Amino acid sequence: MLPLLYLLPLLPLIGFALLMVFPRLFPGKTGGWLATGLIGAAFVVAVIRYLGQGNTPAQETLWTWLPNMALNANLSVGFYLDQLSALMALIITGIGFLIHLYSISYMSHDARFTRFFAFLNFFVAMMLILVLADSYPLMFVGWEGVGMASYLLIGFWFSGRGSESSDKDLRAAGEQEGVNNSNAARKAFIMNRIGDLGFMLGMFLLYKLYGTLNIPELATRVEGVSVATAGVELACLFLLVGAIGKSGQLPLTTWLPDAMAGPTPVSALIHAATMVTAGVYLITRSHFLYELAPNASLWVAWVGGLTALYGALAALNQHDIKKILAFSTVSQLGYMFLAVGVGAYSAGVFHLLSHAFFKALLFLAAGAVIHALHDEQDVRRMGGLRKFMPFTHIVSGIGVLAISGIPIWSGFFSKDAILAAAFETQPLLYLIGLIVAALTAFYMGRWYFLVWRGEYRGAEATGVAHPHEADTITKIPLGILAAGATLIGFLNVPTFLGGGHAFDSYLGRAIPQEAHEILASTEWSLTIFAVLAGVAGLGWAYLQHRARKLDNGPLGQFSSSALYLDNVYDGLVSAPSRGIAGALDTVDRGTDGLIGSIASNAAAPGGLFTLWQSGFVRAYAVSMLLGTAGIIGYWALKMVGSGA
């Protein structure tokens, strides 16, 4: 008997509950090992379900949620497993397990070690609910859950490292770091709320159109429909807004590079295996709707293409070892959106898979470097680290080759499939994708040469004369990820290269496959162009390295300021909002003063009456006597006046 699907999110949720409620039961590293073991157990469950599932999707209902007998539309809490959700579950639990294992060493000296792993477990659990949900409302629960988890983890160092130091300068720097981390967490949370509104509006409209939000049932109801309607187009555009927010696409992209403010394992988890892939998953899971909405699909493709270009340009002259990778994530997610937008769903999902391996590898390798240099992140203060960290150097090189699209590494196969699909349907987007491929190879080559080649430049700046290699617990995840980044591409070797598109055939049972009408000779040409773009980018970086010009990359301040997009938002949104808030605050303070003045004036007459409230019985007796005498005197005078 196959294990029940609810075990997948339940296992990490148990870990979250135990570590949050009973942290004292898990001293030292035991909390980390418990959290890691539970993610490993979830991975085993995912593997068993994957192997035993066969080709038939499985839907398991736990209970009825929000019954609506009047409309005959009961909304249930249930999970749905097909080839797509099974693959996502394997990525989340597999990569998540490796990141958990890595974190045991990386976070070993953190004062809130146990709580960190509780948050990691919560993150993975919410992402599993998101990808396994059989309805959009339940998916939205996981959607909001990963948003909350990202807020907790991006701002995990909200007090800043060193904020409790006795050294005045270190304390000030730590406090400023805490402020920056908290701002980054709030930025991610707030910008995602914009996308969440789009998701909600999309759900409301779909329910209005079809009377259900159960995904398999909705797919059945639209089956056979071939005419696009304005309602479906609008619903798909609303879902796209949600996907843009969660996956950091234009125009809601600026939160994602700042998300690297959290600990490095968090960066790897967010950028590689969980949150940012949710937008791609949402569109792919909703493919039956986007097939009826060609205009919305075109929007998806162009958002992806432009975001890929934006991320690549912004990465050219960054100096933070993690921020280069963060903008790279923005760009690579753009590739995935481009792919699903042109209908190449399997190519987009395959790039999601390969990206999970090489991006997690690159982030964790960067974390090993940061750890070895005592939290230094400026690549201009590195260089020559291959002599001190040979293993990390090798796996980093594999990651760079993979993301640059060099044969035989995974990025070559997945990126080539996307470019071929774009060439067939949107030639201009293909050209943008090819340019991005060259830029990607350049900025990753720059990252590699500044960190690993040349002479070590950080002894004086970092105070570390001899950086140390990563320990065994750190090396194990790095080695496995490097192997995956090398071998995973062979799951989908195209036919013209002698393969059989095995991954496409597997995924084709869950989502439609794009029709390839490109001649083999044309595919060869496209592949050669893509490889040449990658080689040219790396060669450009090497020449710049030889000329010692890598400290300041192309586009200068324009690139290092991320094309001033944050400045634009500050001028258009933040500054006017602050002005309005300041004006309202002034009005509020003035209103408070006016009301306070009225209250004071009203209280003055009342103060006179308080003089009579002395608390002495004799005073009250005199008052009663005087009052009685006054009443009698009044009536006496009245009677005299009337001549009685």
Side-chain angles (χ1 to χ4, degrees):
M1 181 178 178
L2 295 176
L4 297 174
L5 287 178
Y6 70 79
L7 287 176
L8 281 167
L10 180 62
L11 289 169
L13 277 177
I14 290 173
F16 167 70
L18 289 175
L19 295 177
M20 287 299 293
V21 179
F22 307 108
R24 295 184 180 180
L25 296 180
F26 306 98
K29 297 181 180 180
T30 54
W33 285 111
L34 172 70
T36 305
L38 288 170
I39 298 299
F43 176 69
V44 172
V45 172
V47 170
I48 293 173
R49 287 302 304 242
Y50 168 76
L51 295 176
Q53 182 74 29
N55 298 331
T56 305
Q59 189 172 5
E60 298 177 5
T61 302
L62 300 183
W63 66 82
T64 299
W65 180 37
L66 302 178
N68 191 334
M69 302 304 294
L71 297 178
N72 193 28
N74 291 335
L75 185 62
S76 62
V77 173
F79 297 116
Y80 181 74
L81 190 74
D82 62 358
Q83 286 75 17
L84 176 60
S85 53
L87 175 68
M88 293 298 296
L90 287 170
I91 293 173
I92 294 164
T93 55
I95 303 295
F97 170 76
L98 296 176
I99 293 172
H100 273 69
L101 181 61
Y102 175 96
S103 300
I104 293 175
S105 172
Y106 191 86
M107 299 295 291
S108 60
H109 300 294
D110 196 279
R112 298 190 301 149
F113 178 86
T114 301
R115 177 166 294 191
F116 177 79
F117 278 91
F119 291 164
L120 283 187
N121 267 199
F122 180 71
F123 205 164
V124 172
M126 291 298 104
M127 191 65 192
L128 286 169
I129 290 175
L130 190 157
V131 301
L132 293 171
D134 68 348
S135 67
Y136 286 112
L138 185 58
M139 183 189 293
F140 191 70
V141 171
W143 191 273
E144 291 298 291
V146 296
M148 185 63 196
S150 68
Y151 172 78
L152 295 172
L153 287 167
I154 294 170
F156 185 76
W157 282 329
F158 61 88
S159 60
R161 293 166 292 177
S163 59
E164 299 179 359
S165 173
S166 58
D167 184 276
K168 182 178 179 180
D169 292 336
L170 288 177
R171 184 169 62 253
E175 291 172 352
Q176 184 58 50
E177 181 191 42
V179 171
N180 294 339
N181 294 344
S182 299
N183 288 339
R186 283 194 292 268
K187 185 176 183 179
F189 192 79
I190 292 170
M191 292 194 77
N192 271 274
R193 299 291 73 75
I194 300 172
D196 295 347
L197 176 62
F199 194 163
M200 293 175 66
L201 292 174
M203 286 194 294
F204 297 155
L205 184 53
L206 287 174
Y207 190 82
K208 174 73 173 177
L209 292 171
Y210 298 105
T212 183
L213 291 174
N214 183 277
I215 296 173
E217 184 178 348
L218 185 59
T220 301
R221 294 190 183 187
V222 303
E223 188 175 356
V225 178
S226 58
V227 180
T229 65
V232 176
E233 290 276 10
L234 184 58
C236 288
L237 287 174
F238 280 141
L239 293 180
L240 172 60
V241 173
I244 285 172
K246 196 64 72 180
S247 292
Q249 299 293 283
L250 288 173
L252 302 177
T253 189
T254 57
W255 72 267
L256 186 51
D258 290 351
M260 60 91 199
T264 300
V266 175
S267 304
L269 195 60
I270 291 176
H271 288 250
T274 55
M275 182 172 172
V276 296
T277 62
V280 180
Y281 175 78
L282 172 63
I283 293 175
T284 305
R285 173 54 73 200
S286 307
H287 65 85
F288 53 88
L289 296 172
Y290 281 92
E291 289 170 13
L292 300 176
N295 294 322
S297 295
L298 189 60
W299 271 97
V300 174
W302 274 100
V303 165
L306 294 177
T307 304
L309 182 60
Y310 165 79
L313 292 174
L316 292 176
N317 193 36
Q318 298 297 323
H319 300 120
D320 187 300
I321 188 173
K322 287 169 60 178
K323 208 155 196 175
I324 297 171
L325 300 178
F327 278 109
S328 167
T329 299
V330 171
S331 184
Q332 297 302 308
L333 286 167
Y335 267 127
M336 299 174 208
F337 271 70
L338 192 161
V340 297
V342 299
Y345 294 103
S346 65
V349 174
F350 189 56
H351 195 56
L352 186 155
L353 172 63
S354 64
H355 178 263
F357 278 93
F358 63 66
K359 187 51 63 66
L361 171 62
L362 289 167
F363 263 113
L364 297 187
V369 171
I370 293 169
H371 188 68
L373 298 182
H374 295 182
D375 299 326
E376 179 59 62
Q377 295 186 200
D378 193 328
V379 292
R380 293 169 296 185
R381 297 177 178 177
M382 299 178 186
L385 293 181
R386 72 188 189 283
K387 304 171 186 176
F388 306 101
M389 307 174 69
F391 178 82
T392 310
H393 165 240
I394 292 173
V395 297
S396 296
I398 291 173
V400 170
L401 292 172
I403 194 173
S404 299
I406 304 300
I408 55 170
W409 286 274
S410 59
F412 160 72
F413 295 100
S414 59
K415 195 177 296 184
D416 186 65
I418 294 173
L419 292 176
F423 177 83
E424 183 181 5
T425 57
Q426 294 289 332
L428 183 54
L429 282 174
Y430 163 76
L431 181 60
I432 292 175
L434 192 63
I435 293 171
V436 171
L439 295 176
T440 300
F442 171 78
Y443 67 70
M444 288 310 305
R446 176 176 177 267
W447 181 90
Y448 170 79
F449 287 116
L450 283 174
V451 174
W452 300 106
R453 310 299 290 187
E455 297 299 323
Y456 178 48
R457 304 179 296 274
E460 183 176 351
T462 65
V464 181
H466 299 283
H468 60 83
E469 178 61 281
D471 60 20
T472 303
I473 294 180
T474 302
K475 287 180 179 178
I476 292 173
L478 290 175
I480 295 173
L481 290 169
T486 302
L487 302 174
I488 205 75
F490 291 100
L491 292 177
N492 204 38
V493 178
T495 304
F496 79 97
L497 289 178
H501 286 286
F503 182 84
D504 289 351
S505 300
Y506 162 76
L507 205 60
R509 304 183 185 106
I511 57 178
Q513 297 304 298
E514 58 275 14
H516 290 282
E517 299 179 359
I518 303 178
L519 297 175
S521 58
T522 304
E523 285 200 81
W524 270 108
S525 300
L526 295 176
T527 299
I528 291 172
F529 289 150
V531 173
L532 288 177
V535 172
L538 291 176
W540 180 21
Y542 174 73
L543 294 176
Q544 292 287 298
H545 165 66
R546 290 292 301 271
R548 301 182 182 275
K549 295 181 179 180
L550 284 180
D551 280 4
N552 291 304
L555 302 183
Q557 185 66 26
F558 185 64
S559 173
S560 58
S561 297
L563 282 58
Y564 298 106
L565 189 57
D566 262 324
N567 303 72
V568 172
Y569 288 164
D570 185 68
L572 294 179
V573 180
S574 301
S577 299
R578 289 193 296 268
I580 294 172
L584 292 175
D585 181 62
T586 302
V587 172
D588 183 59
R589 291 176 185 273
T591 304
D592 285 346
L594 177 61
I595 294 175
S597 176
I598 295 172
S600 299
N601 293 331
L608 298 175
F609 291 99
T610 62
L611 298 176
W612 293 345
Q613 305 298 319
S614 63
F616 295 106
V617 175
R618 60 180 180 272
Y620 298 151
V622 171
S623 297
M624 292 174 64
L625 180 61
L626 293 174
T628 303
I631 293 172
I632 293 173
Y634 168 77
W635 283 108
L637 292 173
K638 188 174 182 180
M639 291 175 67
V640 170
S642 62

